[in-house]
Amino acid sequence: MIRTVTLDRNQKPTEDQIEQIRKAAEREITFDEDSPQLTPAMEKAFRLAAKNRNTQKRINIS
């Protein structure tokens, strides 16, 4: 489960939010049919796609 919290620029996370983050960081990743573990080739392709996407963002903003 992914949980998203939006903070204002000057707002700091609560102690409860910090504790939730610490607990989440300690949990193991669980792979399933919807989110399988990536092979090295798939991971390389994913990183390349993200790099290309980020390059396009910079070009479009300028």
Side-chain angles (χ1 to χ4, degrees), residues 4-15:
T4 303
V5 177
T6 304
L7 301 174
D8 293 330
R9 181 176 291 272
N10 297 321
Q11 183 181 1
K12 296 186 189 261
T14 64
E15 287 298 320

Side-chain angles (χ1 to χ4, degrees), residues 22-35:
R22 285 187 182 125
K23 286 181 180 177
E26 294 172 0
R27 294 180 67 185
E28 288 191 34
I29 298 172
T30 304
F31 300 104
D32 60 18
E33 63 275 355
D34 291 329
S35 57

Side-chain angles (χ1 to χ4, degrees), residues 6-57:
T6 304
L7 301 174
D8 293 330
R9 181 176 291 272
N10 297 321
Q11 183 181 1
K12 296 186 189 261
T14 64
E15 287 298 320
D16 183 49
Q17 290 169 330
I18 293 171
E19 185 60 29
Q20 289 178 12
I21 293 168
R22 285 187 182 125
K23 286 181 180 177
E26 294 172 0
R27 294 180 67 185
E28 288 191 34
I29 298 172
T30 304
F31 300 104
D32 60 18
E33 63 275 355
D34 291 329
S35 57
Q37 186 170 6
L38 298 178
T39 64
M42 292 167 62
E43 186 175 342
K44 184 177 179 181
F46 182 81
R47 288 178 193 268
L48 181 59
K51 181 180 176 183
N52 289 338
R53 179 202 64 214
N54 293 341
T55 301
Q56 292 299 321
K57 281 184 179 181

